[in-house]
Amino acid sequence: MPPTLQTPWQRTLATLAVVLGTAVLAGLAVGHPWPALALAALALLAAHLLRLRRISHLLEARVRLPPPRSGGGAWANVERLLHRARAEVRGRERRLVEMMRAYRAVATALPDALVVVDRNTQRLIWCNAGAGRLLGLDYPRDKGASLVERLQPLPISHWLSAGRHAEPIVDAASPADPSIRISLRLIPYSDALWLLVARDVGKLMRLEQVRRDFVANVSHELRTPLTVVHGYLDMLDPADNEEWEPIIGEMRRQSQRMTQLVEDLLALSRLEAQDALEDEDVAMGPMLSTLRREAEALSQGRHGIVVEDLAGVDLLGSGRELHSAFSNLVANAVRYTPSGGRIAVRFAPAEGGGATLSVEDSGYGIPESHISRLTERFYRVSSSRTRETGGTGLGLAIVKHVLQLHQARLDITSEVGRGSTFTCSFGADRIVPRGKDPHEHPQDQHASRQHA
């Protein structure tokens, strides 16, 4: 007995051989083998074409293929493979649809507003239910609408154009309800689509205001008892009892430190409560001379101090607040630089017509992991070193708020063991031509470069 043929192609070839062989034998019987062979071949070709046409029709019609029959030849095997592939595709599509429905349900349930925006046209593609409450948007009503027009009066045209460089809008009134305070963040997650996320920050803003009021009120109330403590300490004479001298000295130092902390808290609360400052021309020549004298007084000859005036311009802003910020940076440089170190204060021109004031020291340096948090209130890299130097942990927070009110920024670079550089960068709109200050001291007029 011949061996059993297992594969569909073997079965198909066997069928072809049987049909063609039978046709040849029949042709020989009638004396015309070749016409009989040709007719058999044409019949086989027609059968295969019909089978191919049936499968092609099923694929083009995108209908579910019927379950394939068991056994059969090559065409039956093709149908089985197509049926299995179609079943796998349908399974994947079903799972994808279920995942998309789940993701859309999650996005709809979020309290934050999510808006998918077309990058090129700045038009809405999709938004969740939270966008209706916070932004007044509705899907599908607003599908294809211009986001700039729908979110009036929010000035977001240039903000959307900034794309990946768009800074978050921290606090703004909701276009749907002005009593709701929202924050906006733009997340470009593909080349063609952006995700706009809006969040209700009203509660956070109220809590922040409560915190500011509490700090301001407590700091103000602490002034009176501290004044009383200072008064009584001044009345005590260590000469009356030599054993009291170290105790009284320590009490005076700690009370002075607490007084400085209260004053810094009040200054920070005052800055946080302001949205803008009254601008005036701030003469930088006298400012740099004052910073030099303060650094020398605090250093007591322990450091080399250099002050350079390379910009030759003045600043537009609040002289009091700018002096407070610059003085904090200089004081920090002196405190955190060991004896024999070097401190350089430079006022130099910057690209785009702006200017920078930098304070560079050769002190201990700051680990990179701490740099991003230096401007937080009471944040300290080393609490033991801060206690030794008498810092309050509020100086850089004050600097940050002062610069924000002047539309400026603070950049910090540092390397452990090599020192740090704090740079205040001012835009061209804060630069004014320098004029001669009639109140400037004669020797300060030549203080463009001073070495101690």
Side-chain angles (χ1 to χ4, degrees):
M1 294 179 64
T4 303
L5 299 176
Q6 300 295 330
T7 66
W9 287 104
Q10 289 175 332
R11 287 194 291 271
T12 300
L13 290 174
T15 301
L16 289 174
V18 170
V19 171
L20 294 177
T22 303
V24 170
L25 292 175
L28 290 173
V30 298
H32 300 284
W34 293 112
L37 182 63
L39 289 173
L42 289 174
L44 288 173
L45 179 61
H48 286 295
L49 288 176
L50 289 174
R51 197 71 176 268
L52 178 62
R53 179 178 178 275
R54 175 177 177 270
I55 294 176
S56 177
H57 175 72
L58 292 175
L59 292 176
E60 290 177 354
R62 299 187 64 85
V63 297
R64 178 173 296 186
L65 295 175
R69 293 169 296 179
S70 59
W75 288 112
N77 186 57
V78 169
E79 289 188 15
R80 280 194 294 272
L81 294 175
L82 289 174
H83 186 274
R84 186 172 65 186
R86 277 286 185 88
E88 292 176 353
V89 170
R90 286 197 303 273
R92 285 195 296 268
E93 290 178 348
R94 185 168 54 252
R95 290 191 295 271
L96 286 174
V97 169
E98 291 174 354
M99 291 175 61
M100 291 181 63
R101 287 175 178 172
Y103 291 150
R104 178 166 291 190
V106 171
T108 302
L110 286 175
D112 297 340
L114 303 179
V115 183
V116 179
V117 186
D118 184 273
R119 172 183 177 181
N120 297 320
T121 63
Q122 297 183 359
R123 294 184 179 277
L124 184 144
I125 296 178
W126 178 85
C127 66
N128 67 345
R133 182 177 64 88
L134 297 180
L135 300 175
L137 300 176
D138 178 75
Y139 181 85
R141 182 196 68 190
D142 294 322
K143 183 179 179 180
S146 171
L147 208 62
V148 175
E149 296 177 358
R150 292 293 292 115
L151 296 185
Q152 291 291 339
L154 289 178
I156 65 169
S157 176
H158 295 293
W159 184 67
L160 288 174
S161 300
R164 299 183 184 275
H165 305 289
E167 293 292 333
I169 299 177
V170 179
D171 183 21
S174 166
D177 185 354
S179 64
I180 299 178
R181 308 301 298 181
I182 61 174
S183 67
L184 298 173
R185 182 181 294 273
L186 189 63
I187 305 174
Y189 66 94
S190 76
D191 294 335
L193 300 177
W194 290 338
L195 181 66
L196 188 151
V197 181
R199 175 170 296 177
D200 187 349
V201 294
K203 185 176 180 179
L204 292 177
M205 291 297 158
R206 288 191 293 272
L207 290 175
E208 182 68 12
Q209 187 60 46
V210 170
R211 182 197 62 80
R212 292 175 182 175
D213 294 341
F214 172 78
V215 171
N217 293 334
V218 170
S219 301
H220 184 75
E221 292 299 325
L222 284 175
R223 272 182 162 178
T224 300
L226 282 174
T227 302
V228 175
V229 171
H230 281 310
Y232 281 113
L233 286 175
D234 291 338
M235 293 174 61
L236 295 176
D237 187 359
D240 296 339
N241 192 330
E242 294 182 357
E243 296 179 354
W244 292 359
E245 184 173 357
I247 299 175
I248 295 175
E250 181 63 22
M251 291 173 66
R252 286 175 176 172
R253 284 191 295 272
Q254 294 300 327
S255 64
Q256 289 171 356
R257 182 181 177 188
M258 182 171 286
T259 301
Q260 184 60 50
L261 177 61
V262 169
E263 295 300 327
D264 286 350
L265 284 171
L266 288 173
L268 191 56
S269 298
R270 175 173 49 80
L271 291 170
E272 290 177 336
Q274 292 179 286
D275 294 328
L277 296 171
E278 293 186 5
D279 292 334
E280 60 183 4
D281 290 353
V282 180
M284 289 303 296
M287 175 78 74
L288 294 171
S289 300
T290 300
L291 294 176
R292 174 176 54 82
R293 288 193 294 269
E294 291 176 353
E296 291 172 348
L298 190 59
S299 173
Q300 296 293 312
R302 295 181 293 111
H303 308 91
I305 299 174
V306 177
V307 178
E308 296 179 324
D309 184 0
L310 307 176
V313 296
D314 292 332
L315 294 178
L316 183 66
S318 169
R320 172 188 174 185
E321 307 301 350
L322 288 176
H323 174 261
S324 173
F326 299 156
S327 180
N328 268 302
L329 294 178
V330 171
N332 282 346
V334 174
R335 289 193 185 102
Y336 296 105
T337 302
S339 298
R342 180 176 179 273
I343 298 169
V345 181
R346 294 186 181 89
F347 185 52
E351 296 181 0
T356 62
L357 185 135
S358 62
V359 179
E360 179 183 359
D361 64 64
S362 59
Y364 304 108
I366 305 166
E368 185 177 357
S369 59
H370 294 277
I371 291 179
S372 62
R373 300 190 59 189
L374 285 179
T375 56
E376 295 179 10
R377 302 174 187 86
F378 300 110
Y379 186 80
R380 295 185 173 102
V381 176
S382 173
S383 57
S384 59
R385 188 173 296 165
T386 302
R387 283 194 296 268
E388 294 173 3
T389 57
T392 63
L394 293 172
L396 291 179
I398 292 174
V399 173
K400 182 187 73 172
H401 281 82
V402 170
L403 294 181
Q404 286 178 346
L405 290 172
H406 288 82
Q407 294 80 49
R409 71 177 189 274
L410 176 65
D411 297 315
I412 305 173
T413 58
S414 184
E415 185 177 349
V416 176
R418 299 181 64 89
S420 308
T421 301
F422 294 79
T423 304
C424 306
S425 300
F426 297 88
D429 56 340
R430 288 287 170 180
I431 305 302
V432 294
R434 177 166 297 181
K436 183 177 179 181
D437 189 345
H439 301 291
E440 187 177 359
H441 193 276
Q443 67 178 11
D444 291 336
Q445 296 176 5
H446 304 285
S448 60
R449 180 183 290 267
Q450 293 290 338
H451 298 269

